[in-house]
């Protein structure tokens, strides 16, 4: 696969001059990495902007006691701006990025990306919009998990229900789960999506099936 | 004061067409509110983009048990985009905004702001950059407070030191405090800035003075 063939799919691409396009392409390197590779840890060196050509990256925070919170995943065709925190003065917190599957990624040189961002308002708007969208998602999750304990409460409730019906299949709608937890259906819906991504449950029409009871149990334990 | 006299100070202003400038101005309403007014709570109605003409707004999160985390403050000449979450599809979490002092604020109609943002790439880039900068700051604080407990640990340490020297004045540099807490000087420096804004301590060269022991003590107690 031509390493940079995904660029033309981005909305900013046609707005770049040919010189800018050429410059971006010539400062992009593509490499393949095995599953489990750590691409970025804490406030390490600036690795530039990452473009996922194949596979999946997991972006997460790590607490001092080793607890992880997955912020989001990046899949084929998605750009990671946070790995270029050196480019964006606005970004001041530390994240970790690992290859969740074997991956092929392109790294765009941070300084070159920054220079074109300053020259081209379309690339600037695109980049900051991408960050704002990710951040909103992350803030929501941080608030639900760390501030309101919704993840722990939902995990507890599912385990109790499962024990009570003696089955991993729980026949309760998201509306009903929300009522039990005293929260909104949308909150339950988004948190269940997170549980699914973390391979702890699967969903069926009108209910939830626990697929990794041990992992759910670890989550249910208060960690503070 | 002419309610909208602050607009020309923003970098996007000269990039708007006169028609766009006129439209923004004619859909902006200015009002004064007493200290303590709650301007925005949770996922309430869309109040539009706020511009602080005078005074100070506090933006915060509220947990289910009533615990607050101040995200940031907005002062004269600053714009609040989060109050216009209806404008920005990217914003999906709930915040509270209160007047910390008597305030005069201008509200820009959300639909009009959104329309001009779609027409004008400069306003779009400006808006998303502002959000990205706020979010980064907020993420950092959320991580330090909720994930690493730095606020609680620093509060505990200051109280213990103060008790040991029998004085509210603690003669330890930020470098020394960081070593005691096993973290970076920059982390201590930014957290102390937060403590100062919350009126719990003041700083002097080479040390910290506790000004509200009771508030610091509440913070030092584990809330999980």
């Amino acid at each position: 696969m031509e390493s940079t063939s995904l660029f033309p799919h981005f909305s900013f691409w046609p707005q770049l001059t040919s010189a800018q396009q050429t410059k971006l392409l010539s400062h992009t390197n593509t490499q393949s990495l095995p599953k489990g590779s750590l691409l970025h840890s804490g406030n390490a060196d600036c690795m530039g902007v990452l473009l996922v050509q194949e596979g999946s990256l997991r972006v997460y925070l790590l607490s001092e006691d080793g607890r992880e919170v997955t912020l989001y995943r990046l899949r084929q065709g998605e750009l990671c701006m946070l790995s270029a925190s050196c480019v964006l003065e606005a970004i001041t917190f530390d994240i970790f990025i690992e290859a969740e599957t074997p991956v092929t990624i392109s790294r765009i040189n941070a300084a070159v990306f920054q220079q074109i961002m300053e020259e081209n308002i379309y690339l600037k708007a695109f980049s900051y919009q991408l960050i704002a969208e990710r951040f909103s998602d992350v803030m929501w999750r941080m608030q639900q998990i760390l501030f309101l304990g919704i993840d722990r409460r939902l995990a507890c409730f599912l385990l109790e229900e499962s024990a009570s019906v003696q089955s991993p299949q729980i026949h309760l709608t998201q509306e009903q789960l929300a009522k039990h937890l005293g929260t909104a259906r949308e909150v339950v819906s988004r948190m269940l999506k997170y549980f699914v991504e973390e391979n702890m449950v699967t969903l069926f029409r009108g209910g939830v099936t626990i697929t990794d009871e041990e992992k759910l149990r670890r989550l249910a334990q208060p960690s503070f």
Side-chain angles (χ1 to χ4, degrees), chain A:
Chain A
M1 183 167 63
E2 162 60 34
S3 71
T4 46
S5 61
L6 291 173
F7 279 122
H9 296 287
F10 291 107
S11 63
F12 65 80
W13 190 254
Q15 308 287 349
L16 299 183
T17 64
S18 345
Q20 289 169 337
Q21 291 180 350
T22 307
K23 194 164 184 179
L24 259 196
L25 291 176
S26 65
H27 287 85
T28 299
N29 292 306
T30 299
Q31 64 184 130
S32 294
L33 294 167
K35 179 178 170 175
S37 305
L38 194 59
L39 279 83
H40 187 268
S41 63
N43 51 4
D45 291 346
C46 192
M47 29 174 353
V49 176
L50 298 181
L51 169 57
V52 182
Q53 300 280 354
E54 270 187 289
S56 165
L57 298 178
R58 187 171 71 98
V59 181
Y60 61 100
L61 294 175
L62 192 61
S63 77
E64 288 191 348
D65 59 0
R67 190 183 181 210
E68 292 180 6
V69 169
T70 301
L71 299 180
Y72 51 81
R73 288 179 170 77
L74 291 162
R75 300 201 170 86
Q76 190 178 46
E78 293 190 303
L79 271 180
C80 182
M81 299 294 303
L82 295 191
S83 55
S85 50
C86 46
V87 174
L88 304 153
E89 289 159 36
I91 309 304
T92 55
F93 61 96
D94 301 338
I95 52 155
F96 293 76
I97 304 176
E98 69 159 19
E100 206 169 34
T101 64
V103 293
T104 302
I105 51 161
S106 297
R107 303 183 187 209
I108 309 164
N109 178 280
V112 168
F113 192 91
Q114 181 174 29
Q115 193 200 324
I116 299 178
M117 241 179 88
E118 289 312 315
E119 289 169 13
N120 192 302
I121 188 76
Y122 291 93
L123 183 58
K124 190 172 184 176
F126 176 89
S127 303
Y128 279 115
Q129 183 171 0
L130 200 63
I131 293 170
E133 284 166 7
R134 292 288 184 198
F135 269 130
S136 175
D137 206 39
V138 162
M139 271 297 291
W140 185 88
R141 187 168 297 162
M142 293 275 285
Q143 189 181 8
Q144 300 305 318
I145 291 179
L146 298 175
F147 204 49
L148 302 177
I150 299 284
D151 62 332
R152 192 174 49 73
R153 288 161 52 201
L154 180 56
C156 283
F157 186 77
L158 292 176
L159 289 167
E160 284 166 12
E161 280 298 303
S162 166
S164 130
V165 298
Q166 297 187 298
S167 160
Q169 283 203 359
I170 299 152
H171 290 267
L172 285 173
T173 64
Q174 297 184 3
E175 191 71 44
Q176 290 169 317
L177 288 170
K179 273 190 189 152
H180 281 290
L181 295 175
T183 185
R185 195 198 60 77
E186 201 225 356
V187 170
V188 167
S189 169
R190 291 178 65 174
M191 193 55 72
L192 281 175
K193 187 165 165 257
Y194 179 60
F195 284 12
V196 169
E197 284 174 0
E198 297 289 314
N199 300 313
M200 293 187 281
V201 305
T202 55
L203 306 182
F204 60 91
R205 194 175 168 79
V208 180
T209 305
I210 296 176
T211 52
D212 190 338
E213 187 181 319
E214 192 43 45
K215 199 168 175 187
L216 207 58
R217 206 171 286 286
R218 279 202 303 276
L219 184 60
Q221 287 163 353
S223 58
F224 291 94

